[in-house]
Structures are given as structure tokens and as C-alpha cells.
Amino acid sequence: MEVLKVSTKSSPNSVAGALAGVIREQGSVEIQTVGAGALNQAVKAIAIARGFVAPMGLDLICTPAFADIEINGEERTAIRLLVEPRQPHHL
């Protein structure tokens, strides 16, 4: 699965375009963030991407999880967001 790394300086519109492209090609994507600012940019990007894929009949959902990663030899806690289309409900 493709992993998009988002930082505080990431442009939500750019991330949304990349996110929508990966969703179209692969069906799901994982976003990795460290810090509140990066998470904020990622959530904005997901909101924008929902609009990009809506004409295709897709509604995106996001599942958050913690992950321990290493940055410059230092252990950090990241938040990973699994973004995928909502499955249709059949009763």
C-alpha cells in the first residue's frame, strides 16, 4: 500500500490530489503524520479529496492508528490514517 508522508508544511490541495490519484489507481492509501500540524494538514487533505472522488461515486472513510517510527535515529510516535472508499451497505 502506498504511504503518503504529510508534514506541517504540506499543501492540503497537493496532498488531496495525490491521495485521490492513489485511491483511483490502488483503491486505498495510508497517510503518515507526526505532530498536530501535520495531522491537521492531512485531515484537510482528506476532506478536499472526498470532493475529488465524489463524482466517481466514492465516499472516503478514514481509520486512524498509532505507529512507532524512527526519524533521524530517534523513536517517534506517528499517526497513520488509512483512507479507503466506504463499502456500500447491503441489508
Side-chain angles (χ1 to χ4, degrees):
M1 179 180 313
E2 180 124 4
V3 176
L4 299 178
K5 294 182 180 179
V6 175
S7 78
T8 303
K9 297 176 183 174
S10 297
S11 160
N13 282 314
S14 297
V15 174
L19 199 155
V22 174
I23 293 283
R24 286 185 194 109
E25 291 175 17
Q26 299 180 19
S28 64
V29 64
E30 186 176 286
I31 298 176
Q32 183 175 290
T33 69
V34 175
L39 181 60
N40 182 48
Q41 298 301 79
V43 171
K44 286 186 212 173
I46 294 166
I48 295 165
R50 287 186 72 209
F52 291 168
V53 300
M56 300 169 45
L58 297 178
D59 183 23
L60 299 181
I61 59 169
C62 171
T63 307
F66 288 108
D68 292 323
I69 62 169
E70 189 174 308
I71 299 175
N72 299 329
E74 189 178 323
E75 279 288 314
R76 300 289 301 267
T77 299
I79 292 184
R80 289 188 169 160
L81 305 170
L82 173 61
V83 181
E84 57 193 348
R86 181 185 305 274
Q87 298 301 316
H89 291 102
H90 297 292
L91 297 177

